Amino acid sequence: MCAVCEFKIEFGISHPLALSVAVATRKAIEADLIEAIDIDEGALAAARKRMAAVEALNLLQARIEDAHTEACLLDLPDFYVLLIENDTWGFFHATTEGFDPDIVPEIPDVTTTEEAKRSNIVIMSEAALRGWLAGRFDVEHAFRESLFVIDGPQIHADSLTRMFYATEPATVAH
């Protein structure tokens, strides 16, 4: 399992690109491309949402690990995944055994203008991640429509983009 992080970022939105991903997600829901995440109320609603988000991150992790050789995994840069519905952050650090479940990452740097210091962050909604994993659309559509956005130094963003293409579900509805 990847590390699931509880970051307290000091500005009102968890990542500057989260709003554009939220708008793209709403469009995809309205176009019936993906299903909205159920918004249950009640005392345990937040816990259920967090557990569902962690499950989605685990599914992503398994898909990435299954699609890549050990050498390819080790070539990946460390990266964060932000699921925007409830600000669930996952951190992915590859080892010879897959992604490290015990790592404690630093808070991602989401505001620096110095490219070399920027954290590698994949911003997406849980709804879009689940839709993609289910084969409802391909990764090209996800990036083109801003359902998935990668923020980080260009060399790492290119590597993570290739990772998603290599991780494409076998059956994608077009």
Side-chain angles (χ1 to χ4, degrees):
M1 172 169 107
C2 64
V4 176
C5 311
E6 294 286 340
F7 296 126
K8 298 296 181 204
I9 296 178
E10 295 302 320
F11 49 91
I13 191 162
S14 58
H15 189 281
L17 297 173
L19 183 58
S20 63
V21 173
V23 170
T25 298
R26 175 53 46 202
K27 286 181 183 177
I29 290 169
E30 290 171 357
D32 219 16
L33 184 63
I34 61 177
E35 295 178 21
I37 299 298
D38 189 16
I39 307 172
D40 290 337
E41 296 301 324
L44 298 177
R48 283 193 300 273
K49 289 176 191 175
R50 179 60 59 129
M51 288 175 25
V54 170
E55 176 192 40
L57 288 170
N58 285 331
L59 292 171
L60 175 61
Q61 174 188 335
R63 180 68 60 83
I64 294 168
E65 289 174 345
D66 289 348
H68 292 80
T69 65
E70 179 183 305
C72 289
L73 276 178
L74 291 173
D75 284 343
L76 292 173
D78 290 350
F79 64 98
Y80 298 85
V81 174
L82 169 61
L83 299 181
I84 64 170
E85 286 92 345
N86 62 359
D87 292 334
T88 299
W89 289 84
F91 182 71
F92 291 75
H93 170 77
T95 70
T96 57
E97 303 296 318
F99 290 109
D100 185 349
D102 299 319
I103 194 160
V104 178
E106 296 292 321
I107 293 176
D109 191 337
V110 300
T111 59
T112 186
T113 56
E114 192 174 334
E115 180 161 321
K117 292 185 177 182
R118 285 179 29 216
S119 297
N120 302 306
I121 304 170
V122 181
I123 305 107
M124 60 178 58
S125 67
E126 180 186 342
L129 174 57
R130 288 182 181 278
W132 176 68
L133 289 170
R136 305 240 357 227
F137 56 89
D138 62 22
V139 75
E140 184 174 332
H141 179 87
F143 285 121
R144 183 180 62 245
E145 298 299 321
S146 297
L147 293 168
F148 296 0
V149 174
I150 298 175
D151 181 31
Q154 192 59 53
I155 191 167
H156 297 303
D158 291 344
S159 176
L160 293 172
T161 299
R162 287 189 302 274
M163 174 197 71
F164 275 99
Y165 275 94
T167 307
E168 187 81 75
T171 56
V172 176
H174 292 283

